[in-house]
Amino acid sequence: MGYAVDTRCIHGEGHKTEDGNNAISFPIYQTASFSHLTPGHNPNGFDYSRESNPTRTYLEETISSLEHAYDSIAFSSGMAVIATAFEYFKPGDHIILGDDLYGGVVRLISQISTKNGYETDYVETSDLDALKAAIKPNTKAIYFETPTNPMMHVTNIKAVAEIAHSVGALVIVDNTFMTPYFQNPILEGADIVVQSGTKYLCGHNDTVCGFLSSENEELADRFRLLSKTTGATLGPFECWLCLRGLKTLALRMERHKSNAEAVRDWLLTRKDVEKVYYAGSGMISFSVKSSEHAVEILKKIKLITFAESLGGTESLLTYPYIQTHPDVPAEQKEKLGITDKLLRLSVGIENPDDIIADLNKAFESAS
Ligand SMILES: Cc1ncc(COP(=O)(O)O)c(C=O)c1O
């Protein structure tokens, strides 16, 4: 781990392509299968691309380098990662979940994973007393986002890890919003890092993928068994797209953040903005004076696109109430502030003056 993070975005641990042709860009090994020399003997260790593929391995090693992980697995989406993470648990286990999670995770728990027979409780994980009070004898994991999507609550990973590890529970952190460029949960005590690579890691709104990183060999072995068996691993071309995106992660994250800070400062000057939620990186949520105003702004933006997702070069404005969080129960949305007046902006890397001018025009013509 000798190189700085911006160098590791480009070179990982510094391993070179060994394809015999000295390619600078790691090749796309677009193959389903690999030939064997003799039964059970394949010198490079590749058999079948569901289990492993050289392009995926190169990407996974780069992600492990960035996340300070023992091992990382590239999946076909962030949700495939999270579904696999929950496969680790068994009937009777208790899992504490952060109370503000991406809506797809809430849907996974409420509509799919309940058949696995484990109990869950939603807790505001930044409230350490509430967290301690929620622990039960069968608590096996604490799972949370920091900052959260969309309310930007920040949890102290180190403090949660101390509490979890004192009762033998795992800490699972969704690092999608910060990325390993701004935050390394494993260095703070997390055991497992999950993230949607669709967002900042790939970074160009053109690829869906996800990563599961393990802190130790035992977890890594279990997740390797799960990923090769259930099979939602990432195809070689998407792996290559993500490798290409990662090369500019450092530059993009710096620009996303400085642009977001400029937009946040502008939002704070507006009388028609009720609240601004910002916790670093390129994501901002804000509430406006009415749901009609929110809908009008969504209609009036031109440079910024009204769309789901986040973390790409293009600025996207999202309506969490109906787009990303429809499956969160109404009372929970109300409690968190995910109302029909809330908008979530993924600030892209366009010129910040153009982003603000587009918002300004939309706000003015919407009021
Ligand atoms: C915080 C967070 N985690 C996980 C996911 C799921 O990732 P994917 O859309 O790549 O399946 C999302 C998607 O928006 C997200 O915002």
Side-chain angles (χ1 to χ4, degrees):
M1 209 69 76
Y3 296 120
V5 59
D6 36 5
T7 305
R8 282 182 283 123
C9 288
I10 302 164
H11 295 285
E13 290 300 297
H15 49 290
K16 297 276 182 230
T17 315
E18 283 165 9
D19 69 336
N21 293 314
N22 304 322
I24 301 295
S25 163
F26 196 91
I28 305 168
Y29 282 84
Q30 193 66 47
T31 181
S33 191
F34 300 82
S35 68
H36 287 235
L37 293 180
T38 54
H41 179 50
N42 186 340
N44 293 325
F46 296 105
D47 295 325
Y48 186 60
S49 284
R50 167 159 38 78
E51 180 179 3
S52 62
N53 172 287
T55 316
R56 190 184 316 131
T57 300
Y58 193 83
L59 170 62
E60 291 171 341
E61 286 173 1
T62 306
I63 295 291
S64 286
S65 168
L66 292 173
E67 283 294 0
H68 298 262
Y70 177 85
D71 187 41
S72 299
I73 305 174
F75 284 83
S76 57
S77 70
M79 284 314 299
V81 169
I82 295 164
T84 305
F86 283 113
E87 283 295 312
Y88 186 84
F89 302 98
K90 55 183 195 317
D93 287 352
H94 174 240
I95 303 168
I96 295 175
L97 302 162
D99 68 349
D100 183 24
L101 294 176
Y102 166 58
V105 179
V106 176
R107 184 170 65 241
L108 174 75
I109 299 296
S110 65
Q111 297 185 34
I112 314 274
S113 296
T114 42
K115 72 174 184 336
N116 288 351
Y118 47 75
E119 299 170 53
T120 52
D121 278 312
Y122 288 94
V123 175
E124 164 61 275
T125 49
S126 63
D127 179 346
L128 298 178
D129 290 331
L131 186 63
K132 280 184 202 152
I135 293 205
K136 296 181 177 176
N138 56 338
T139 301
K140 291 291 186 284
I142 302 173
Y143 176 102
F144 57 99
E145 298 169 6
T146 182
T148 59
N149 178 7
M151 301 312 293
M152 312 296 169
H153 298 175
V154 173
T155 289
N156 180 335
I157 300 171
K158 216 177 247 172
V160 171
E162 266 170 36
I163 295 167
H165 293 160
S166 73
V167 296
L170 295 170
V171 174
I172 310 175
V173 177
D174 185 326
N175 204 24
T176 302
F177 272 28
M178 279 301 181
T179 81
Y181 181 71
F182 283 132
Q183 174 169 275
N184 290 125
I186 285 178
L187 295 184
E188 306 288 314
D191 303 283
I192 298 165
V193 177
V194 297
Q195 59 198 310
S196 169
T198 315
K199 319 301 182 191
Y200 292 108
L201 301 183
C202 287
H204 294 74
N205 287 319
D206 58 10
T207 310
V208 176
C209 75
F211 297 96
L212 187 152
S213 299
S214 302
E215 189 271 339
N216 62 55
E217 186 176 2
E218 192 194 335
L219 289 170
D221 286 350
R222 184 71 191 159
F223 288 119
R224 284 275 162 198
L225 174 70
L226 280 165
S227 67
K228 84 169 177 187
T229 307
T230 56
T233 46
L234 191 64
F237 181 56
E238 276 78 8
C239 289
W240 183 86
L241 281 170
C242 193
L243 276 166
R244 188 161 82 153
L246 280 175
K247 288 179 198 288
T248 56
L249 181 69
L251 290 175
R252 287 187 288 105
M253 291 314 290
E254 292 293 347
R255 178 62 176 247
H256 282 297
K257 184 167 187 280
S258 64
N259 277 3
E261 286 169 356
V263 173
R264 173 206 55 194
D265 292 347
W266 177 82
L267 286 168
L268 288 170
T269 65
R270 300 247 3 150
K271 296 233 160 26
D272 46 5
V273 172
E274 279 185 348
K275 266 197 171 149
V276 179
Y277 306 88
Y278 180 66
S281 134
M283 298 302 299
I284 303 178
S285 294
F286 56 94
S287 55
V288 293
K289 57 190 184 193
S290 65
S291 71
E292 292 75 26
H293 196 214
V295 171
E296 276 305 299
I297 291 167
L298 288 166
K299 279 194 211 153
K300 298 276 162 51
I301 44 171
K302 280 209 166 69
L303 175 72
I304 303 167
T305 307
F306 171 27
E308 278 184 53
S309 203
L310 62 107
T313 44
E314 298 84 2
S315 293
L316 303 182
L317 191 58
T318 303
Y319 200 28
Y321 193 74
I322 55 158
Q323 283 186 305
T324 52
H325 289 68
D327 293 304
V328 175
E331 59 293 358
Q332 178 69 0
K333 279 202 287 230
E334 187 65 35
K335 185 177 144 218
L336 289 166
I338 307 174
T339 65
D340 55 5
K341 299 192 291 184
L342 186 81
L343 294 169
R344 190 193 73 188
L345 179 63
S346 172
V347 184
I349 61 169
E350 302 94 340
N351 187 296
D353 293 343
D354 289 330
I355 300 171
I356 291 171
D358 197 45
L359 283 172
N360 193 47
K361 230 185 214 165
F363 269 75
E364 292 300 325
S365 53
S367 48

